[in-house]
Amino acid sequence: MNRGAAGKLLAWYDRYRRDLPWRAPPGRRPEPYRVWLSEIMLQQTTVATVEGYFGRFVARWPTLEALAEAELDDVLHAWQGLGYYARARNLHRSAKLLAREHGGRFPDSEEALRALPGIGAYTAAAIAAIAFDRPATAVDGNVERVVARLFAVEEPLPRAKPALRRLAAGLTPLARPGDHVQAMMDLGATVCTPRSPRCGICPLAPDCAAFRSGTAEGLPRRETRAARSTRYGTAFWATRPDGAVLLRRRPETGLLGGMMEVPSTDWRDTRAGPQALAGAPARADWRPVPGGVRHTFTHFHLELEIVSGVVKDWRAVEGVWTPVARLDEHALPSVMKKVVRRALSHSG
Ligand code: SF4
């Protein structure tokens, strides 16, 4: 595999590129705002899911300036269901920063893009290449897979990452680097797929070491993962005598930072038992809600017990008392939606 193969890949891309809502028509440069928005949404989320969200987002906030003027809660609300809400908060912070300090323009170098909140090496390279046609090398899971196969790299991930990055950089052509990045992404998504790669229709098959050796499907190799641990906590379904439910905002930093929640204890490695009640947000006769909820985050499982109680002395309690019918006006993360469903089904 050499730079010459990049020409074959571009020819393939010109014929078979995916028609995605954030892409510009062939030969035109896309708007940096749309590229940035799509790349942030695509971190941790599939193209199929992002397509709908992207359309709604740009319909509501068609420009960077519009997003900079939006309320954070509205942005978080529109983000509901995409998960990893830190991305939405960083998006909003970046929009404000760019509007205030950069005259509403995106920087066009990887280095300057990386200085923006929520933009790591991959996203900076993807934006620099796609929006500004810089010869940047954007390496995500799709590209790692394609490169591992092209060069038949046997070293397992994640150890192989630096080598795969170097090999990917060696493929980046000086002409049309932005289209090259997108072509690699499309090839990984539609032809060089994790299972059953379609080598028979692949433009790079003549240059592919894994195809020649018949090892494509087993690559890239991965080191076996440690099992996810489990953490435990207690959520407090606190209601006022009129039925309104207590929500509060989580601290800005940490998992689900800045999101609204049903008040809960810290999440720890062991069950707290009755001592959990010491972390209650108010005084009440707390009763267990059978079942609790279980939720899986990227690195751990969470088991939340739920207790419910009516708070008589509610005026001094910190948080937002919300009628049940208006709970969905808050951007609750998925785990907290599960808590709400469980508590409501228990209370009938
Ligand atoms: Fe992937 Fe097969 Fe193409 Fe090699 S020939 S890049 S393994 S699809």
Side-chain angles (χ1 to χ4, degrees), residues 24-321:
R28 301 254 302 273
R29 290 255 68 76
E31 282 175 45
Y33 172 65
R34 294 167 74 89
V35 175
W36 167 65
L37 192 57
S38 66
E39 286 300 331
I40 301 289
M41 285 184 168
L42 287 165
Q43 294 169 354
Q44 324 274 359
T45 311
T46 62
V47 166
T49 305
V50 166
E51 283 188 278
Y53 279 87
F54 180 85
R56 287 191 291 278
F57 238 79
V58 290
R60 188 161 177 191
W61 299 296
T63 61
L64 186 70
E65 292 73 23
L67 185 61
E69 284 168 18
E71 292 295 329
L72 175 60
D73 268 351
D74 290 341
V75 176
L76 291 172
H77 206 260
W79 198 266
Q80 257 185 316
L82 278 174
Y84 299 93
Y85 287 87
R87 293 183 295 165
R89 291 186 304 123
N90 283 332
L91 204 65
H92 190 245
R93 271 173 61 207
S94 296
K96 282 189 173 310
L97 199 86
L98 289 167
R100 204 175 52 228
E101 292 173 20
H102 296 262
R105 294 177 68 88
F106 275 88
D108 61 1
S109 73
E110 279 182 85
E111 196 188 355
L113 284 161
R114 280 196 75 168
L116 292 171
I119 296 193
Y122 166 77
T123 307
I127 297 172
I130 299 170
F132 301 106
D133 217 19
R134 300 273 168 156
T137 307
V139 183
D140 67 354
N142 271 334
V143 175
E144 277 176 353
R145 182 172 61 256
V146 174
V147 173
R149 289 172 175 173
L150 285 172
F151 295 92
V153 175
E154 294 283 338
E155 188 182 16
L157 284 168
R159 253 191 300 136
K161 278 179 181 287
L164 294 176
R165 159 162 286 283
R166 273 195 306 279
L167 291 167
L171 298 177
T172 305
L174 294 175
R176 301 175 63 193
D179 284 343
H180 173 79
V181 164
Q182 296 177 91
M184 288 291 277
M185 292 171 175
D186 282 15
L187 191 80
T190 62
V191 176
C192 195
T193 45
R195 265 167 287 174
S196 311
R198 302 159 73 198
C199 304
I201 59 160
C202 178
L204 301 181
D207 306 277
C208 179
F211 173 59
R212 280 198 300 273
S213 60
T215 56
E217 193 147 358
L219 297 176
R221 302 202 190 288
R222 287 175 197 283
E223 271 156 9
T224 43
R225 263 209 201 166
R228 282 197 185 98
S229 62
T230 301
R231 294 188 202 165
Y232 304 90
T234 300
F236 298 91
W237 184 255
T239 53
R240 273 190 328 206
D242 68 356
V245 179
L246 180 64
L247 299 180
R248 71 179 178 193
R249 194 175 291 283
R250 291 178 62 82
E252 283 296 320
T253 52
L255 198 60
L256 309 181
M259 304 292 303
M260 296 301 282
E261 69 164 0
V262 175
S264 72
T265 58
D266 288 345
W267 305 338
R268 297 173 185 269
D269 295 339
T270 53
R271 291 181 200 278
Q275 272 121 3
L277 297 186
R283 275 222 294 227
D285 180 15
W286 297 108
R287 301 284 171 93
V289 172
V293 301
R294 185 176 165 86
H295 190 77
T296 298
F297 292 97
T298 315
H299 299 296
F300 65 95
H301 300 293
L302 175 67
E303 287 189 10
L304 279 180
E305 291 175 2
I306 307 172
V307 292
S308 74
V310 178
V311 180
K312 299 208 179 73
D313 196 8
W314 54 270
R315 285 185 180 77
V317 176
E318 263 185 46
V320 184
W321 292 98

